[in-house]
Amino acid sequence: MPAPTLDVHAGGQEYLLPPDFLWPGGKRIAVFFRVACEGWSDGAWPSLGPMGNPLKPGVPDLNALGWVEYGMRRGIHRILDILEQHDIRSTMIICGVLAERYPDVVRRIADAGHEIVAHSYGMDVIPAYLDEEQERANLARTTALFEQATGRRPQGWISPRATPSPRTARLLAEAGYQWHGDTMNDDLPYLVRFGDREIAAFPGGMELNDTPMYIRYGNSPRMMVEMFDDWLDYVRTREKGAVRIDPSIHAHVFGRITGIHVFEQLIEKAKAADDIWIGTRQEAIAHVRAAIRR
């Protein structure tokens, strides 16, 4: 399937999974637990904060910066403890600036066996705003910071707000990345080839995401459990093929006591089900490639 000219895969060729695809273990349902650790470049700050009334343009929002800083000071340690207790490996989406500022924390994440996904240098460094030279530099800088902190290169990439430029996927493939999550255009992963280079697209979703659900729209954290239950009921009774969902929390949002219990409930529900495969995105990629090439 050729991509249109204005598309996340502009100039690439897409190859989809076969209709009979199943996740590892022959499971039809996959759950990927995702944790986002977000940071901003020096002199930048979040546009979204917990107060609801943004400051005047150009005024540093130290309240919002402190709110986000909680993620690497407190939230991530609480999350890592829960994951360890339940023997779950998570997909951790982390900005490169945090590998620079908190290398010991990022190393702890990697040493615990979690998948580290590069999330640009900072949340303010969005590929859609960059030219090709700037984008290549950001990619190289971010990758190097994770190599320095963990001793290994990240294999996956998700841009801030999952918003790439039309060239991002091609540049990632050229840099040796195995997958990206910069699209929401499908339920399942697929492969994209740019000449002799290849990368997997692993679409995401915002259905179970703490920031829009809890911060932006003010819903109770419990709603995430209700939505997960409703999703499971539907896919078990109505969907016929492979499905996946990504319960996603941020270290500075549901890494707090008011939200972490919800994340743990989702883990417990998924672990108790014999029809669910739980894994990281990187663990799924080799399986996806084999299914498309058979």
Side-chain angles (χ1 to χ4, degrees), residues 86-140:
H86 291 279
D87 194 27
I88 293 291
R89 301 295 172 264
S90 174
T91 294
M92 295 272 181
I93 308 162
I94 308 175
C95 290
V97 67
L98 299 180
E100 190 173 55
R101 294 174 181 166
Y102 302 92
D104 292 344
V105 179
V106 173
R107 192 175 304 113
R108 181 191 171 192
I109 293 169
D111 289 347
H114 301 292
E115 174 189 14
I116 289 184
V117 179
H119 201 29
S120 189
Y121 176 73
M123 295 302 294
D124 52 298
V125 187
I126 302 174
Y129 292 153
L130 307 178
D131 61 30
E132 182 161 343
E133 182 179 356
Q134 292 170 328
E135 191 167 358
R136 286 183 184 276
N138 176 55
L139 176 57

Side-chain angles (χ1 to χ4, degrees), residues 130-163:
L130 307 178
D131 61 30
E132 182 161 343
E133 182 179 356
Q134 292 170 328
E135 191 167 358
R136 286 183 184 276
N138 176 55
L139 176 57
R141 179 189 194 187
T142 303
T143 304
L145 285 168
F146 285 113
E147 283 189 287
Q148 292 165 16
T150 69
R152 67 198 85 162
R153 292 171 58 91
Q155 300 298 303
W157 174 286
I158 298 178
S159 300
R161 72 187 304 276
T163 304

Side-chain angles (χ1 to χ4, degrees), residues 22-221:
L22 294 173
W23 298 104
K27 303 295 178 67
R28 197 170 61 82
I29 302 172
V31 176
F32 298 90
F33 289 103
R34 301 197 307 175
V35 178
C37 301
E38 297 182 344
W40 276 254
S41 307
D42 290 341
W45 54 88
S47 59
L48 177 68
M51 304 310 293
N53 53 331
L55 296 180
K56 295 177 181 179
V59 177
D61 192 339
L62 300 185
N63 176 280
L65 276 174
W67 175 61
V68 170
E69 187 183 4
Y70 182 95
M72 295 303 276
R73 290 171 63 108
R74 291 286 184 178
I76 189 59
H77 300 288
R78 187 173 288 127
I79 293 166
L80 288 171
D81 288 345
I82 291 293
L83 292 169
E84 182 180 4
Q85 290 170 23
H86 291 279
D87 194 27
I88 293 291
R89 301 295 172 264
S90 174
T91 294
M92 295 272 181
I93 308 162
I94 308 175
C95 290
V97 67
L98 299 180
E100 190 173 55
R101 294 174 181 166
Y102 302 92
D104 292 344
V105 179
V106 173
R107 192 175 304 113
R108 181 191 171 192
I109 293 169
D111 289 347
H114 301 292
E115 174 189 14
I116 289 184
V117 179
H119 201 29
S120 189
Y121 176 73
M123 295 302 294
D124 52 298
V125 187
I126 302 174
Y129 292 153
L130 307 178
D131 61 30
E132 182 161 343
E133 182 179 356
Q134 292 170 328
E135 191 167 358
R136 286 183 184 276
N138 176 55
L139 176 57
R141 179 189 194 187
T142 303
T143 304
L145 285 168
F146 285 113
E147 283 189 287
Q148 292 165 16
T150 69
R152 67 198 85 162
R153 292 171 58 91
Q155 300 298 303
W157 174 286
I158 298 178
S159 300
R161 72 187 304 276
T163 304
S165 76
R167 73 183 75 86
T168 301
R170 173 177 59 82
L171 297 181
L172 288 168
E174 291 175 3
Y177 275 79
Q178 298 297 301
W179 68 270
H180 78 81
D182 282 353
T183 186
M184 300 184 192
N185 68 357
D186 208 325
D187 291 324
L188 298 175
Y190 53 92
L191 296 183
V192 187
R193 295 197 181 115
F194 297 93
D196 61 350
R197 300 300 182 107
E198 177 182 277
I199 191 168
F202 211 128
M206 299 297 290
E207 297 91 342
L208 266 69
N209 189 302
D210 59 357
T211 299
M213 187 202 75
Y214 176 61
I215 298 298
R216 188 179 294 277
Y217 300 120
N219 294 302
S220 166

